[in-house]
Amino acid sequence: MSLAELSDAVPYWTEDMYPQRGGQDHLGLGSVVTDRILPRLSPGINVLTIHPRYWSFYAFVLSEFWKRDLPRTRAALRAWFRPLECIYSVACSLCNGPNHRGAPIGTRRLSPVVAAKPTGFDPQFHYMDSAMGGYGLYYATVMQTVGLVAPADRRLGVPVDTVTPEGQVVACAFRSVVADTEYYQSWIGRHDEAVPYEVVEEYGQHACFCRLRDPEATDRSILADAFLHLGNEEEARARRMTLRFMCELAAQSAGASIDEPSFRRLIYFGADYGNEDRPAPTFIPTDAVLSTARRWRLYQMREYFNASVNEMWRRLCYWGLKKDGHLIQSAEVSASLHSIDFMSFSADLGVDLPEAGLSAVSSYRELLDWVIEAGAVSGELDDRWDLNADLTEDRIIGWLNYGRGSTASGADRLAAAMTLITFVAARLWRDELALVSPADWFPVVHGGHERLGIQRFLSRLRDRETNGATVWDVAEWLTFDYVISQHERVAMAKLPTTGDTFRFRREANRLRFFPKGAQVGMNNSRFNALATFLFELGWSGYLYDEYHDLTPEGQQLRLDGDLSPTGKFDLEGV
């Protein structure tokens, strides 16, 4: 063996200690949004807790369990719970109400059963794997947070989950809705017999989540009261603020259908695209919702920040795999960043570069100035940001086809990622913006060192720009500190629980790449859940529909920021 070969030798484990896994959120950036930012914006209303009536249904199921002389064990609760949820899901699937939107829990397995139109439905059908169904997977935690459910605690003499007094109020309201159905009167406890089709169908006509809008739905006002007022006061206030904000957005966008991309543009730019059939909808926050709108705008900025860093990670993964995953010197990784191609990227978007051009050796200040000019960046936190500027974050995301599994590793995509993260920097460049409203600044701060907070990024980027850093200098810093080091930190932390999710690993001063997918995408914004809440609680039309005017109650929430409590939760002395 030559001396060169000896100097190149690096120990390499030939046997895996952990199972190979695909994994998600490979830089840990998504968790900042899902675990820290969105829970402060809409606590208790998340991407998986979409239909408000499930809260009253689950309270009802627990209440019915505790009414009966059944063993107070997890097995007994599970044996009671699953047949009730299975039949409820079938009932909702059979509902043909005019306001029906979405699908019940367990639909994937239940759909063929329902489509077959049997004479009866087996309550013991294995509709999903989770022992406690949708309650255990999605709703238990948020119902506990609001104070409708008390979790099992043997120290308190509660061997399984139960409803609180407030939860009992909600359960009783749902019970009054279904009390006259044949299912409740004759079939609710008959878990070993097929429930007749007509019985389940009738049950759905009363109990389906979409029927919460019906005048007979006595649980609607009580659920609204719970969401607006129960639980931790700070969290209740945050829910009220966001629901009021959503009512304002619904009012201003009436006449235009809104989906998640539209929602992102409206909260970030204050506008969406129009077409020949309709003018472009706009959203100008009123003074009453300005603080909430600012928080949602900064949340969306965090999404763009995550997208840019994730795209650098994705590009590096595919670049390394093109080299067959062999050990690649760190110097070669750095050298690859010199190929950054602003010319192709800008040409594709039809945006003129500065007269002197832009390349890896340009000063970072030149890139920053180009973004400010092409994007019409005002540098103010609460200005309307121009969606129709020559270049915007939304246009870059569209060009990247972000989240749709592209395997391209071109230098033009690196240029796009660098431009996108520079937009984030340009919008927040001035230090004093953090003082405009410190209470609203948390989406910028969250992440810190472990999860790459924007505030920390800005501070270090400003220092580099002041010291004359080039575009390549910034790209190299981000690649090694924000992509390589961060991926290793996150993948290492996942080993004991998730398994081996590494896409590359450092060995001495080199990277070894592994042939796994490297798809990325933005987190769910909770728009669908919030839009469904507004609709099913009877405060507005469905935001996805062109006409989604506010109801009188929704208008009151929009103007006053609250609705009068029902008084049903005033339980002292009861």
Side-chain angles (χ1 to χ4, degrees):
M1 185 179 292
S2 70
L3 289 176
E5 288 173 320
L6 284 171
S7 66
D8 287 346
V10 174
Y12 181 69
W13 293 107
T14 58
E15 185 173 347
D16 291 335
M17 295 180 64
Y18 296 94
Q20 296 291 317
R21 294 285 188 263
Q24 296 180 349
D25 194 18
H26 298 284
L27 299 179
L29 304 181
S31 65
V32 177
V33 171
T34 58
D35 299 342
R36 303 185 188 184
I37 296 174
L38 285 173
R40 291 187 62 175
L41 292 173
S42 62
I45 305 173
N46 61 47
V47 60
L48 297 173
T49 58
I50 296 173
H51 301 291
R53 192 166 234 180
Y54 265 106
W55 298 53
S56 49
F57 169 71
Y58 289 132
F60 163 75
V61 171
L62 289 174
S63 174
E64 288 291 319
F65 173 79
W66 280 88
K67 281 176 61 179
R68 287 165 167 76
D69 185 19
L70 296 169
R72 303 309 184 204
T73 64
R74 292 182 180 178
L77 177 58
R78 182 168 59 250
W80 171 258
F81 173 89
R82 288 182 63 87
L84 267 66
E85 184 175 50
C86 178
I87 294 300
Y88 184 69
S89 292
V90 173
C92 292
S93 299
L94 293 176
C95 177
N96 58 2
N99 294 318
H100 196 91
R101 306 288 193 280
I105 289 168
T107 294
R108 184 174 63 84
R109 292 183 181 174
L110 285 169
S111 289
V113 176
V114 174
K117 295 185 177 181
T119 57
F121 297 97
D122 179 9
Q124 300 288 358
F125 179 79
H126 191 72
Y127 65 100
M128 66 188 307
D129 293 333
S130 169
M132 287 295 289
Y135 172 76
L137 284 178
Y138 316 130
Y139 284 84
T141 301
V142 293
M143 291 180 71
Q144 291 164 21
T145 298
V146 174
L148 300 182
V149 169
D153 189 337
R154 292 191 176 276
R155 296 169 303 175
L156 301 176
V158 183
V160 294
D161 289 9
T162 185
V163 286
T164 63
E166 290 80 8
Q168 196 68 260
V169 171
V170 175
C172 288
F174 185 87
R175 187 178 294 111
S176 71
V177 171
V178 301
D180 294 332
T181 64
E182 187 175 348
Y183 175 73
Y184 181 70
Q185 291 184 356
S186 304
W187 291 89
I188 190 170
R190 295 160 68 175
H191 298 165
D192 296 325
E193 302 176 58
V195 184
Y197 186 104
E198 300 78 19
V199 171
V200 181
E201 186 176 40
E202 182 212 16
Y203 181 45
Q205 290 171 357
H206 292 267
C208 180
F209 51 74
C210 78
R211 303 285 181 166
L212 192 62
R213 288 177 62 97
D214 292 354
E216 299 81 13
T218 53
D219 53 335
R220 186 189 68 82
S221 60
I222 293 173
L223 280 174
D225 191 358
F227 294 132
L228 294 173
H229 304 119
L230 291 191
N232 176 280
E233 175 51 36
E234 184 177 346
E235 292 188 349
R237 180 174 180 272
R239 275 194 299 277
R240 289 196 299 272
M241 289 170 62
T242 283
L243 291 169
R244 181 184 196 179
F245 164 75
M246 291 298 297
C247 285
E248 184 64 45
L249 187 144
Q252 293 195 30
S253 62
S257 61
I258 307 299
D259 57 14
E260 183 160 332
S262 303
F263 175 65
R264 293 184 187 277
R265 288 187 285 266
L266 285 166
I267 64 175
Y268 195 75
F269 295 99
D272 192 15
Y273 301 116
N275 55 43
E276 295 179 356
D277 299 324
R278 66 160 202 190
T282 60
F283 175 61
I284 303 174
T286 62
D287 289 343
V289 301
L290 180 59
S291 173
T292 311
R294 188 185 295 125
R295 296 178 180 199
W296 278 95
R297 170 179 266 187
L298 291 175
Y299 146 75
Q300 182 57 38
M301 181 170 287
R302 176 72 205 206
E303 290 281 21
Y304 289 139
F305 174 81
N306 289 359
S308 57
V309 181
N310 279 327
E311 177 60 29
M312 293 180 203
W313 172 83
R314 192 210 59 80
R315 173 260 169 197
L316 178 63
C317 290
Y318 287 119
W319 175 83
L321 290 175
K322 274 194 168 183
K323 295 181 174 292
D324 298 322
H326 294 159
L327 284 170
I328 301 172
Q329 293 278 359
S330 295
E332 190 175 351
V333 175
S334 295
S336 74
L337 303 174
H338 281 288
S339 66
I340 187 169
D341 186 0
F342 288 100
M343 184 172 293
S344 295
F345 164 63
S346 63
D348 274 359
L349 286 173
V351 182
D352 292 334
L353 287 174
E355 188 172 340
L358 269 178
S359 68
V361 297
S362 301
S363 72
Y364 183 75
R365 183 75 234 183
E366 292 176 83
L367 173 58
L368 185 64
D369 287 342
W370 176 60
V371 164
I372 291 172
E373 181 178 359
V377 176
S378 69
E380 298 297 333
L381 190 58
D382 294 328
D383 282 355
R384 286 278 303 281
W385 296 343
D386 190 357
L387 178 62
N388 296 310
D390 292 341
L391 188 61
T392 63
E393 296 91 327
D394 186 70
R395 290 198 68 198
I396 296 171
I397 290 292
W399 182 85
L400 284 169
N401 202 27
Y402 186 67
R404 293 177 174 83
S406 170
T407 59
S409 59
D412 52 351
R413 294 183 71 89
L414 181 57
M418 285 293 296
T419 304
L420 183 58
I421 205 166
T422 300
F423 259 107
V424 172
R427 302 280 189 198
L428 302 179
W429 191 255
R430 295 189 297 115
D431 279 323
E432 55 268 29
L433 291 182
L435 304 177
V436 171
S437 182
D440 301 333
W441 198 247
F442 61 87
V444 180
V445 176
H446 275 319
H449 170 71
E450 290 293 322
R451 290 293 187 267
L452 310 183
I454 297 179
Q455 183 73 62
R456 182 174 178 271
F457 158 75
L458 286 170
S459 176
R460 284 154 178 74
L461 181 64
R462 292 186 190 108
D463 289 343
R464 284 172 166 78
E465 187 276 328
T466 299
N467 292 324
T470 64
V471 171
W472 178 84
D473 291 329
V474 174
E476 185 188 44
W477 161 54
L478 293 173
T479 297
F480 281 88
D481 287 9
Y482 279 48
V483 173
I484 296 175
S485 294
Q486 183 68 10
H487 177 58
E488 288 192 309
R489 180 185 296 120
V490 170
M492 185 67 72
K494 289 181 177 181
L495 279 174
T497 54
T498 306
D500 184 352
T501 61
F502 282 95
R503 295 316 194 253
F504 49 76
R505 294 191 74 163
R506 270 188 282 211
E507 299 175 17
N509 199 36
R510 308 175 199 184
L511 287 182
R512 184 186 297 274
F513 291 83
F514 305 103
K516 299 179 183 177
Q519 286 73 35
V520 292
M522 275 192 276
N523 291 277
N524 187 295
S525 69
R526 300 192 179 182
F527 168 75
N528 183 52
L530 291 166
T532 305
F533 257 66
L534 255 64
F535 178 62
E536 292 184 357
L537 285 171
W539 293 339
S540 79
Y542 200 42
L543 266 63
Y544 291 92
D545 296 338
E546 185 173 351
Y547 297 103
H548 49 255
D549 293 339
L550 293 178
T551 64
E553 198 169 280
Q555 190 70 261
Q556 182 184 347
L557 180 57
R558 174 199 179 199
L559 297 176
D560 299 340
D562 202 354
L563 298 176
S564 299
T566 61
K568 299 292 186 180
F569 296 116
D570 298 336
L571 300 173
E572 291 186 16
V574 176

